[in-house]
Amino acid sequence: MKTLEQKYKKFDELNKQAEQGGGLDRIEKQHKSGKLSARERVEVLLDKDTFVEFDKFVTHRAKDLGADLEKFLGDGVVSGYGKIDGRLVYVFAQDFTVYGGSLSRTNADKIQKVMKLAMKMGAPVIGLNDSGGARIQEGVESLAGYADLFHLNVAASGVVPQISAILGPCAGGAVYSPALTDFIFMVKETSYMFVTGPDVIKAVTHEDVTKEELGGAMTHNSKSGVAHFIGNDDAHTLMMIRELIGFLPSNNMDDPPVRNCADDVHREDENLDTLIPVDSNKPYDIKDLITTISDDNDFLEVQPHYAKNIVVGFARMGGRPVGYVANQPAFLAGVLDIDSSVKAARFVRFCDSFNIPLITLVDVPGFLPGTTQEFGGIIKHGAKLLYAFSAASVPKITLITRKAYGGAYDVMSSKHIGADINFAYPTAEIAVMGAGGAVNILHRGKSEEERAKAIDEYNDNFANPYKAAEIGYVDEIIYPRQTRYKIIQALDSLKNKRIAMPQRKHGNMPL
Ligand code: HXC
């Protein structure tokens, strides 16, 4: 019979073995390529000493092709729960040192276990992905594992926040599960996402493309819009995830976490009175307004490199998290196009799912004209934003800083599609179109002199907020310097907002 000492020794040995994943050599290789190991990542992400690991001794049960595969304790994923700023989160970290972090049946079962617990307990799930996709040796078992995860990702969508970090080369199923989650973080130079890699592309389409160009962090943050954040290295990226979690409620039944606010809610800033240029064709940076009015000037921008003509992100106002959606006059004059509509629509849907009030800042000349936009389906994509704002039942506050022209006025959280409180600056211009365009249509063939006079008249009559204020489409016209307090006061008045919607299975968003 084994002694107690021998039993504990075996336990210690197994623990040590599990903690070494695919072995010290492979961990060393991971470090050399600038990446942390799966366990190190979990430690960096969570509050100190809060990680509790599940299924540390699970091994694969592959038959057929994988029957003689070496078994590694944990089978390529480290999973469990811990805390971020004292709040419960569930986490899984794929271990690239075990079969390239590829997904086996048992590996998928481990991930499902934490996802199901997260849904039951109402806590966010954070996936740290570093995986070659479906484990080739397990065939349909690994495909089934992925499909199970996709199904759960969808079931958890809008119930608990789901956050993905891409921390290595991720292919196949390893990119589709993150794509179903709420936010994707990538790391400069060490993370990649693609459905098929450069070699397959070369064979099929004869295109030459590098891994970095095809699916590197900047590609997905600036070109494809697949990713939302980019970190400098693993540790920096994990810190960014902690920051994001700080703005989010743990689940859809909770309110977002309120913090004590040391920043004076009455704080006025006279510089704001001159932020909007007198010449309405001159740009200014809407982020200056957002950072000036937010608590401690702190703003976490989401997708800062993609569709820069719209700015979205999180801030706090009087301690309460809010989501900002703002046209950016400093980029393409803040015009709405396909990419900016889709970017903003997805953000609005997220905020609405998780009870985060929306503050919309409007300075938009309209939708971008042209065949590229029309053939690309701007009608359908612009409708996504219209749908998202209209359907959102969270408190909605809108401020028109300058241009609010045409359909874009309607779309950008106007009173008519359900905004609760609509502000405008005295510099606001609310009309069907700008003066030049209107005069071209209404005074075709007139002399230059007559046209100039008509433009002046149009500007006097329409390029202001007073017509909208006369009929109550704008509730209050405010000085820019007052913005912070006005918004905080409005948020306070909306905090018990409840609206009843008719019963339905779900609406049919223009996807
Ligand atoms: C089993 C795998 C694996 C996989 C990598 N490995 N991917 N083992 N199944 N899918 C193993 C390698 O054999 C190697 O083992 C170790 O992981 C490291 O891989 P390397 O190739 O040496 O690393 P690197 O050069 O960095 O390249 C990483 C990679 C590449 C880009 C991920 O390995 C790769 O292209 N893998 C295959 C990707 C893929 O096509 N997956 C299937 C997708 S289909 P050793 O023992 O040498 O350390 C899919 C379907 C899901 O996922 C459904 C989608 C809707």
Side-chain angles (χ1 to χ4, degrees):
M1 198 172 27
K2 291 226 167 77
T3 64
L4 268 181
E5 215 170 76
Q6 285 169 320
K7 288 187 181 194
Y8 290 137
K9 189 163 173 257
K10 178 171 182 190
F11 179 46
D12 287 343
E13 278 166 6
L14 287 176
N15 264 322
K16 198 167 163 204
Q17 200 182 322
E19 280 156 25
Q20 289 181 351
L24 293 178
D25 291 350
R26 288 198 183 89
I27 292 179
E28 182 61 23
K29 202 171 156 198
Q30 181 92 342
H31 286 161
K32 278 208 174 113
S33 61
K35 305 194 301 183
L36 297 174
S37 71
R39 262 162 222 288
E40 287 163 345
R41 286 168 175 163
V42 171
E43 291 300 327
V44 173
L45 175 71
L46 300 176
D47 294 350
K48 198 167 177 332
D49 297 332
T50 60
F51 180 53
V52 177
E53 185 172 355
F54 295 142
D55 299 336
K56 200 169 177 178
F57 299 150
V58 160
T59 55
H60 75 74
R61 296 190 292 273
K63 300 186 190 90
D64 306 327
L65 189 58
D68 56 353
L69 272 189
E70 191 180 351
K71 292 192 173 185
F72 295 91
L73 298 182
D75 199 31
V77 62
V78 177
S79 60
Y81 67 91
K83 295 205 165 167
I84 289 184
D85 293 331
R87 296 164 66 211
L88 179 68
V89 296
Y90 286 82
V91 62
F92 65 88
Q94 290 168 328
D95 183 350
F96 194 77
T97 67
V98 177
Y99 299 113
S102 57
L103 191 104
S104 63
R105 177 72 259 176
T106 48
N107 181 304
D109 291 344
K110 284 181 67 171
I111 298 176
Q112 284 200 76
K113 187 188 270 186
V114 289
M115 286 179 69
K116 285 181 178 166
L117 278 167
M119 285 171 73
K120 263 195 248 174
M121 307 313 151
V125 191
I126 302 169
L128 307 181
N129 300 271
D130 191 355
S131 165
R135 189 169 300 169
I136 297 162
Q137 298 88 337
E138 292 207 13
V140 69
E141 280 286 49
S142 59
L143 295 181
Y146 263 126
D148 287 343
L149 293 188
F150 302 154
H151 198 218
L152 257 185
N153 282 134
V154 175
S157 180
V159 179
V160 293
Q162 301 183 80
I163 291 167
S164 302
I166 308 295
L167 301 169
C170 288
V175 297
Y176 269 112
S177 176
L180 291 167
T181 65
D182 296 305
F183 294 105
I184 297 182
F185 289 72
M186 292 186 78
V187 190
K188 246 180 223 167
E189 288 163 20
T190 51
S191 74
Y192 307 95
M193 295 177 83
F194 28 73
V195 175
T196 51
D199 296 345
V200 177
I201 289 184
K202 176 83 182 156
V204 178
T205 68
H206 308 295
E207 281 172 290
D208 275 313
V209 62
T210 64
K211 224 166 44 167
E212 189 65 41
E213 266 179 279
L214 180 66
M218 212 49 200
T219 295
H220 287 307
N221 273 273
S222 67
K223 275 193 189 158
S224 72
V226 164
H228 302 83
F229 297 97
I230 183 164
N232 296 330
D233 54 25
D234 282 11
H236 179 228
T237 307
L238 297 165
M239 287 303 127
M240 289 170 77
I241 295 178
R242 289 178 62 93
E243 190 187 352
L244 174 64
I245 288 283
F247 286 100
L248 311 184
S250 296
N251 58 67
N252 63 331
M253 306 297 276
D254 265 6
D255 284 328
V258 178
R259 284 205 184 152
N260 282 337
C261 175
D263 193 352
D264 182 6
V265 293
H266 291 274
R267 177 168 57 77
E268 291 196 353
D269 193 321
E270 293 198 351
N271 291 328
L272 288 182
D273 286 347
T274 50
L275 176 70
I276 318 292
V278 186
D279 177 352
S280 70
N281 291 321
K282 281 223 166 107
Y284 64 96
D285 190 344
I286 198 68
K287 286 191 246 177
D288 288 344
L289 175 58
I290 298 174
T291 51
T292 304
I293 61 178
S294 299
D295 290 359
D296 305 317
N297 310 119
D298 186 28
F299 176 54
L300 177 63
E301 189 174 354
V302 175
Q303 291 194 303
H305 305 286
Y306 182 72
K308 293 182 190 173
N309 36 333
I310 208 151
V311 172
V312 299
F314 300 103
R316 286 184 191 79
M317 295 294 279
R320 284 198 195 106
V322 295
Y324 272 102
V325 179
N327 306 116
Q328 172 57 290
F331 197 86
L332 296 175
V335 75
L336 275 178
D337 58 5
I338 293 172
D339 291 349
S340 59
S341 300
V342 174
K343 169 181 168 181
R346 176 119 179 108
F347 182 74
V348 168
R349 295 293 278 183
F350 177 82
C351 289
D352 191 46
S353 301
F354 290 105
N355 314 317
I356 300 172
L358 285 163
I359 299 174
T360 305
L361 306 178
V362 186
D363 189 344
V364 60
F367 279 100
L368 182 64
T371 50
T372 311
Q373 291 290 307
E374 295 289 349
F375 297 167
I378 181 65
I379 298 174
K380 175 175 67 182
H381 298 296
K384 287 178 183 165
L385 186 54
L386 191 49
Y387 193 105
F389 269 131
S390 299
S393 60
V394 286
K396 290 185 283 193
I397 297 168
T398 302
L399 165 64
I400 301 175
T401 60
R402 194 167 59 177
K403 296 173 196 156
Y405 284 135
Y409 156 76
D410 282 345
V411 171
M412 290 302 294
S413 199
S414 61
K415 180 68 94 200
H416 325 285
I417 62 167
D420 301 294
I421 297 187
N422 295 66
F423 294 116
Y425 285 164
T427 46
E429 303 168 17
I430 307 169
V432 174
M433 60 180 73
V439 168
N440 278 345
I441 295 167
L442 300 177
H443 300 274
R444 196 169 289 148
K446 297 268 172 70
S447 71
E448 270 311 301
E449 208 174 288
E450 285 167 321
R451 282 171 44 81
K453 191 165 161 258
I455 285 180
D456 278 350
E457 270 172 19
Y458 186 93
N459 277 331
D460 283 348
N461 276 327
F462 291 104
N464 63 57
Y466 301 109
K467 281 268 183 294
E470 268 172 32
I471 31 186
Y473 295 163
V474 162
D475 301 296
E476 195 181 353
I477 299 176
I478 61 171
Y479 281 108
R481 78 178 95 104
Q482 304 172 304
T483 312
R484 174 171 163 77
Y485 184 59
K486 285 288 179 187
I487 290 179
I488 291 174
Q489 208 179 20
L491 279 170
D492 202 46
S493 74
L494 300 176
K495 78 177 175 226
N496 295 326
K497 177 179 174 185
R498 292 281 177 274
I499 56 171
M501 302 284 226
Q503 277 285 326
R504 63 178 165 185
K505 191 170 175 193
H506 58 71
N508 188 12
M509 195 171 183
L511 294 172

